[in-house]
Amino acid sequence: MTLPADPLAGQDGSDTRATAGTRADAHAAAPVARATRLEAAINLDGRLDDAAWEMTVPVTEFYQTDPVDGAPATERTEVYILYDDAAIYIGARLWESTGEVRKRLGRRDSFLMDSDWFYVMLDTYHDHLTAYQFSVNPAGVKRDEVNSGGFRGDASWDAVWEVATSTDADGWTTEIRIPFSQLRFSRTAHQVWGIQFSRRAIHKEETTVFAHTPKSQRGGVARDAPLVGREDLSPGRKLEALPYAVTRAEYVDVKAGDPYRDGSDFVTGAGLDLKYRVTSAMTLDATFNPDFGQVELDPAVVNLTAFETF
């Protein structure tokens, strides 16, 4: 009789169930990231040309998970971490030696496989169980989710945060601002969070991470690096609002003489995303005039089967 494969076994067939001691050893060996208090305002334009970024030591050591597990990254990445009373700021400079920055435009929370990406994961309680993940590509497409240790998280969670990107001949750059009001964390004076940075360079099919875990071992949130250097944090204001504007152009072939359409349509719109912290365990999410409403997104379907349409 053939026994089913152990879901906790490594790729080489070895048992990767870690004891408390081995997990502690692995975490102690993880690199450490340090945040620096921000003393001046930052212009969020995706360029990292503000003097404040020069006041902190960047994270620069990245290692591959693909294609060569554990090998040093072939493209240089620098990540800077700042914070003030209201938010944490992440600045990243991602070099591309070939100049091939792959950027694709898509809806928020799109998983664009043919695009470069930069990821930030924050385990704010440092419990090694759950983390907030913020992702951005060179075109400025945002993806936010709650990750409980797997490869994909719950993308239905949406936070109010800001990001800006820019590209040049040497690669691309991003600046990210995440308000503390969007996160949950303890009230201790000296904060230690878990953090992970990851980068996907699509033209090389290369994925690199800051805190590397071999593929033969269990990784994820439990193996994130410690983020230190922050003191006396507060959850900030209870209300965050993010207005947006939308424009869309549509060009189609129409029959000659059609009195209703000339082949080109232009649509504009505006709206507001709002998040209000009612209590420490309850948050109210609201959207006014959403641009991705169900009526225009989901096509009509006639289902003649016995199975429900999803």
Side-chain angles (χ1 to χ4, degrees):
M1 182 179 68
T2 302
L3 296 176
D6 186 347
L8 298 181
Q11 293 184 349
D12 59 357
S14 61
D15 190 344
T16 60
R17 276 179 279 234
T19 64
T22 57
R23 288 197 178 204
D25 293 342
H27 190 65
V32 177
R34 180 172 294 275
T36 302
R37 176 169 281 278
L38 180 62
E39 302 296 343
I42 286 181
N43 179 26
L44 214 68
D45 57 5
R47 300 188 182 278
L48 292 183
D49 52 3
D50 296 283
W53 294 115
E54 300 178 2
M55 304 303 294
T56 185
V57 178
V59 167
T60 58
E61 299 294 329
F62 281 73
Y63 296 91
Q64 298 180 39
T65 57
D66 287 306
V68 184
D69 188 27
T74 63
E75 300 288 357
R76 182 170 176 80
T77 303
E78 292 183 356
V79 182
Y80 302 81
I81 312 168
L82 298 171
Y83 76 99
D84 58 19
D85 292 335
I88 184 170
Y89 301 80
I90 308 293
R93 176 58 165 150
L94 306 102
W95 273 268
E96 288 284 356
S97 57
T98 63
E100 297 184 43
V101 176
R102 301 289 182 89
K103 56 182 179 179
R104 298 291 183 267
L105 193 61
R107 296 178 185 268
R108 178 171 178 163
D109 287 339
S110 297
F111 193 76
L112 305 172
M113 296 295 294
D114 56 345
S115 175
D116 294 342
W117 283 94
F118 175 69
Y119 309 88
V120 179
M121 186 179 292
L122 297 173
D123 175 8
T124 53
Y125 281 107
H126 206 208
D127 57 7
H128 313 296
L129 297 175
T130 304
Y132 303 98
Q133 182 167 303
F134 302 87
S135 312
V136 61
N137 80 344
V141 177
K142 299 195 300 184
R143 182 178 174 87
D144 43 18
E145 54 198 294
V146 176
N147 193 303
S148 297
F151 177 71
R152 294 281 185 89
D154 178 9
S156 65
W157 177 75
D158 289 322
V160 176
W161 54 294
E162 300 173 75
V163 67
T165 61
S166 64
T167 59
D168 53 40
D170 296 321
W172 64 289
T173 307
T174 183
E175 289 179 316
I176 301 171
R177 181 184 183 273
I178 305 170
F180 291 137
S181 63
Q182 305 302 291
L183 308 174
R184 299 291 181 266
F185 49 88
S186 68
R187 297 297 183 264
T188 57
H190 303 283
Q191 292 281 327
V192 178
W193 294 359
I195 196 166
Q196 176 69 292
F197 301 116
S198 181
R199 175 186 179 182
R200 188 163 181 261
I202 190 63
H203 77 282
K204 288 187 174 182
E205 291 293 339
E206 180 176 294
T207 301
T208 55
V209 295
F210 170 51
H212 177 262
T213 302
K215 287 185 175 181
S216 60
Q217 301 179 18
R218 296 181 67 186
V221 180
R223 303 290 290 273
D224 287 355
L227 172 63
V228 300
R230 290 152 309 112
E231 299 181 356
D232 300 323
L233 300 186
S234 67
R237 59 192 179 193
K238 293 184 176 181
L239 177 67
E240 293 287 345
L242 183 65
Y244 61 81
V246 179
T247 60
R248 184 174 72 236
E250 182 180 280
Y251 302 93
V252 296
D253 293 329
V254 298
K255 294 182 179 180
D258 189 326
Y260 302 105
R261 305 192 68 179
D262 61 3
S264 61
D265 286 327
F266 302 94
V267 180
T268 61
L272 176 72
D273 288 337
L274 182 145
K275 188 178 289 284
Y276 179 73
R277 188 176 70 253
V278 181
T279 69
S280 61
M282 180 183 296
T283 302
L284 171 66
D285 290 295
T287 299
F288 299 93
N289 191 24
D291 58 321
F292 301 141
Q294 180 180 357
V295 174
E296 69 166 322
L297 180 63
D298 294 343
V301 175
V302 178
N303 186 351
L304 302 179
T305 72
F307 303 99
E308 184 178 355
T309 298
F310 291 91

